[in-house]
Amino acid sequence: MSQFDVVIRGGTVVTASDSFMADVGIRSGKIVAVTENLDDGAKTIDACGLMVMPGGIDSHVHLAQPAFGGPTMADGFETGTRSAIAGDNTTVIPFALQPRGASLRGSVVDYHEEADGQSFCDYGFHLIITDPTPSVLAQELPALVDDGYTSFKVFRTYDDMALNDRQLLEVFSCARNCRALVMVDCEGYDAIKFMTERLEAAGSKAPYYHAVSRPESVEREATHRAISHAELTDVPIMVVHVSGREAMEQIRWAQNRGLKIYGETCPRTSL
Ligand SMILES: [Zn+2]
């Protein structure tokens, strides 16, 4: 009987540091050997002329999220994870969104029900916090971090999701205590609202004015404010879907000061 369940034979193995010809031996779902001339496994896959590399991890993907009156999310777990696999991603990390007034733990249970049995790849969840009540901050979040949900996401805009500065500080402080990472959507809610209402009053409602309603300054100032609050509470944050140079410059400024501020690019502003 073979010592391997699966052997991937004859491919070019690509790791974080090297690429070389080797066979890969897998037992009980784990890679246990990467070397030349392995014996056949119970199943042997011919990878001659191919590259053998770890699956990708898509760490920012929204699946099956409620729309709050906006456009309906196109992908649920079945279609979203099917396309992930087609693009060589073997793990996705979508978001478990807490609707205002609801329990965060209950939301996580709901998302697992949505995903379990529907997904073609591995998945985890970031926690979107829209309602940081005392019980969410003191009980639910620490318990969820203990269970392995170690990243939060918060929004500075959208009527049903935006946190104000005080709430942001409370979430940052909780993350500091739990040793979690906070992903922050940095757009200035009040500035966008002000611009939107002014444009609508002038009858400027064409899609073009979406961009006019949120110039670079609203992203820049929200990014700077999040960085300042992260500095105050001594917590690492990830500024998500950075879409302009000015926000990027704020992140670079913070990093040059030794702050643990990370950024993730996005070609446009979105959820
Ligand atoms: Zn997003």
Side-chain angles (χ1 to χ4, degrees):
M1 187 180 147
S2 170
Q3 57 174 321
F4 302 112
D5 301 327
V6 179
V7 166
I8 303 171
R9 184 179 299 294
T12 301
V13 173
V14 181
T15 71
S17 55
D18 296 304
S19 63
F20 50 91
M21 301 287 290
D23 300 339
V24 178
I26 297 165
R27 189 163 55 230
S28 302
K30 289 192 174 152
I31 294 171
V32 292
V34 180
T35 187
E36 293 178 341
N37 300 322
L38 289 180
D39 293 337
D40 277 347
K43 178 181 177 188
T44 298
I45 298 168
D46 178 10
C48 284
L50 302 175
M51 290 195 287
V52 182
M53 61 179 74
I57 300 171
D58 188 341
S59 62
H60 188 150
V61 53
H62 296 270
L63 299 174
Q65 240 172 256
F68 292 122
T72 305
M73 216 156 259
D75 280 310
F77 284 89
E78 187 180 356
T79 58
T81 56
R82 197 205 309 263
S83 66
I85 289 290
D88 291 335
N89 287 320
T90 52
T91 301
V92 294
I93 314 180
F95 297 81
L97 184 149
Q98 171 206 24
R100 285 231 167 109
S103 142
L104 190 52
R105 170 69 75 177
S107 307
V108 171
V109 170
D110 289 347
Y111 274 88
H112 271 289
E113 273 174 14
E114 192 87 39
D116 293 349
Q118 296 289 320
S119 300
F120 290 90
C121 67
D122 294 335
Y123 55 88
F125 290 105
H126 306 293
L127 307 173
I128 293 181
I129 303 160
T130 66
D131 200 2
T133 61
S135 70
V136 165
L137 293 166
Q139 276 113 41
E140 293 201 71
L141 282 173
L144 284 161
V145 171
D146 274 348
D147 288 349
Y149 303 91
T150 56
S151 46
F152 311 158
K153 183 175 184 188
V154 292
F155 288 86
R156 305 312 313 279
T157 188
Y158 304 120
D159 287 341
D160 297 305
M161 297 198 277
L163 302 191
N164 61 35
D165 279 31
R166 176 60 189 259
Q167 291 173 315
L168 190 73
L169 283 160
E170 300 282 6
V171 170
F172 280 6
S173 175
C174 171
R176 176 71 180 91
N177 293 335
C178 302
R179 305 184 70 77
L181 176 75
V182 190
M183 307 160 77
V184 191
D185 173 293
C186 291
E187 294 174 284
Y189 181 67
D190 288 325
I192 291 173
K193 198 102 177 146
F194 168 77
M195 290 295 289
T196 301
E197 286 173 6
R198 210 164 70 164
L199 287 162
E200 282 179 352
S204 304
K205 297 181 180 178
Y208 166 79
Y209 293 102
H210 180 77
V212 179
S213 72
R214 47 212 1 107
E216 278 212 49
S217 68
V218 307
E219 185 185 32
R220 183 192 66 220
E221 67 89 11
T223 302
H224 184 83
R225 228 159 358 123
I227 288 168
S228 300
H229 295 339
E231 182 178 9
L232 190 66
T233 47
D234 187 27
V235 70
I237 63 166
M238 162 84 84
V239 182
V240 289
H241 39 68
V242 175
S243 61
R245 166 186 284 273
E246 295 184 15
M248 183 272 287
E249 287 170 349
Q250 294 294 314
I251 294 165
R252 182 166 289 160
W253 170 83
Q255 290 176 338
N256 286 340
R257 301 180 75 216
L259 301 174
K260 294 189 186 69
I261 309 294
Y262 306 98
E264 174 193 87
T265 58
C266 181
R268 77 284 178 267
T269 307
S270 69
L271 283 176

